[in-house]
Amino acid sequence: MSVRTEPFMVNIGPQHPSTHGVFRMRLELDGEVVVGLEPVCGYLHRGIEKLMEGRTYVQNIPLTDRLDYMSSMTNNFAYCLAVEKLGNISVPDRAEYLRVIFAELQRIVNHLVAIGAFTNDCGAFFTPFMYMFREREKIVDLFEMASGQRLTYNYFRPGGLSQDIPDEFLPALKKFLVSMPGFIEEYEQLFA
């Protein structure tokens, strides 16, 4: 004999630790059987917009760091680009180049963490993740050298950067760029 049930909806996330505050699922259940699922991506309202209303443009930069802590440099960059466009603010060439370098380094960090976490989710335990975290740390060391911070950098400003890079930054960056292709080969061997 089967028990008759009525389908019902269950919301999962975005508070669950594995959804990182940006993903929610609407499940349709019939008893204990999942009969439908609607993924809701981009769920990230934290009231940042309201907080920004009462602050100056520069005071808002730390808030953009925290929107996505894995992309805080690029969040700063996007916000500063918007402010510069609104205010018709020009940026010196050196600052433009440095900002693009930092954004590209942040992109590498994001890819390293994403691929490492994905392989972990696929059952590779933590080995690839820890290998990739090793290179992430080298980039974060560069970020710390320039900004003094390791996660939320607060380094970009409308019109440029909060300060110039130290003298030891470019040699350290060149050393990293020479070594990085070898690490990519190492990752490919891990996945083969």
Coordinates of all heavy atoms in Angstrom, one line a residue, residues 80-81 84 89-97 99 157-161:
C80 N 35.8 51.1 -8.7 CA 36.6 52.3 -9.1 C 36.4 52.7 -10.5 O 36.3 53.9 -10.8 CB 38.1 52.1 -8.8 SG 38.4 52.1 -7.0
L81 N 36.3 51.8 -11.4 CA 36.0 52.1 -12.8 C 34.6 52.8 -13.0 O 34.5 53.8 -13.7 CB 36.0 50.8 -13.7 CG 37.3 50.2 -14.0 CD1 37.2 48.9 -14.7 CD2 38.2 51.1 -14.8
E84 N 35.0 56.3 -11.6 CA 35.8 57.1 -12.5 C 35.0 57.5 -13.8 O 35.1 58.7 -14.3 CB 37.0 56.4 -13.0 CG 38.1 56.2 -11.9 CD 39.0 55.1 -12.0 OE1 39.0 54.4 -13.1 OE2 39.9 54.9 -11.1
I89 N 37.0 60.9 -14.2 CA 38.3 60.9 -13.6 C 39.3 60.1 -14.4 O 39.0 59.0 -14.8 CB 38.2 60.3 -12.2 CG1 37.2 61.0 -11.3 CG2 39.6 60.2 -11.5 CD1 36.9 60.3 -10.0
S90 N 40.4 60.7 -14.7 CA 41.4 60.0 -15.5 C 42.4 59.3 -14.5 O 42.6 59.8 -13.4 CB 42.2 61.0 -16.4 OG 42.8 62.0 -15.7
V91 N 43.0 58.2 -15.0 CA 43.9 57.4 -14.2 C 45.3 57.5 -14.9 O 45.4 57.3 -16.1 CB 43.4 56.0 -14.1 CG1 44.4 55.1 -13.3 CG2 42.0 56.0 -13.5
P92 N 46.4 57.7 -14.1 CA 47.7 57.7 -14.7 C 48.0 56.3 -15.4 O 47.5 55.3 -14.9 CB 48.7 57.9 -13.6 CG 47.8 58.5 -12.5 CD 46.4 58.0 -12.7
D93 N 48.8 56.3 -16.4 CA 49.1 55.0 -17.1 C 49.7 54.0 -16.2 O 49.3 52.8 -16.2 CB 50.1 55.3 -18.3 CG 49.5 56.0 -19.4 OD1 48.2 56.0 -19.5 OD2 50.2 56.5 -20.3
R94 N 50.7 54.4 -15.3 CA 51.3 53.4 -14.4 C 50.2 52.7 -13.5 O 50.2 51.5 -13.3 CB 52.3 54.1 -13.5 CG 53.0 53.1 -12.5 CD 54.1 53.8 -11.7 NE 54.7 53.0 -10.7 CZ 55.6 52.1 -10.9 NH1 56.1 51.8 -12.1 NH2 56.1 51.4 -9.9
A95 N 49.3 53.5 -13.0 CA 48.2 52.9 -12.2 C 47.3 52.0 -13.0 O 46.9 50.9 -12.5 CB 47.4 54.0 -11.5
E96 N 47.0 52.4 -14.2 CA 46.2 51.5 -15.1 C 46.9 50.2 -15.3 O 46.2 49.1 -15.2 CB 46.1 52.2 -16.5 CG 45.1 53.3 -16.5 CD 43.7 52.9 -16.7 OE1 43.3 51.7 -16.5 OE2 42.8 53.8 -17.0
Y97 N 48.2 50.2 -15.6 CA 48.9 48.9 -15.8 C 48.9 48.1 -14.5 O 48.7 46.9 -14.6 CB 50.4 49.2 -16.3 CG 50.5 49.7 -17.7 CD1 51.1 50.9 -17.9 CD2 49.9 49.1 -18.8 CE1 51.2 51.5 -19.2 CE2 50.0 49.6 -20.0 CZ 50.6 50.8 -20.3 OH 50.7 51.3 -21.5
R99 N 46.8 48.1 -12.0 CA 45.5 47.6 -11.7 C 45.2 46.4 -12.6 O 44.6 45.4 -12.1 CB 44.5 48.7 -11.9 CG 44.5 49.7 -10.8 CD 43.8 51.0 -10.9 NE 42.7 51.2 -11.7 CZ 41.8 52.2 -11.5 NH1 41.9 53.0 -10.5 NH2 40.8 52.3 -12.3
R157 N 41.8 52.8 -5.7 CA 41.1 54.1 -5.4 C 40.6 54.7 -6.7 O 41.2 54.5 -7.8 CB 42.1 55.1 -4.8 CG 42.6 54.7 -3.4 CD 41.5 54.8 -2.4 NE 42.0 54.5 -1.1 CZ 42.1 53.3 -0.5 NH1 41.9 52.2 -1.2 NH2 42.6 53.1 0.7
P158 N 39.5 55.5 -6.7 CA 39.1 56.2 -7.9 C 40.3 57.1 -8.3 O 40.8 57.9 -7.5 CB 37.9 57.0 -7.4 CG 37.4 56.2 -6.3 CD 38.6 55.6 -5.6
G159 N 40.8 56.9 -9.5 CA 41.9 57.7 -10.0 C 43.3 57.0 -9.8 O 44.3 57.5 -10.2
G160 N 43.3 55.8 -9.3 CA 44.6 55.1 -9.2 C 44.6 54.0 -8.1 O 43.7 53.2 -8.0
L161 N 45.6 54.0 -7.3 CA 45.8 53.1 -6.2 C 46.1 53.8 -4.9 O 46.4 55.0 -4.9 CB 47.0 52.2 -6.5 CG 47.0 51.4 -7.8 CD1 48.3 50.8 -8.2 CD2 46.0 50.3 -7.7

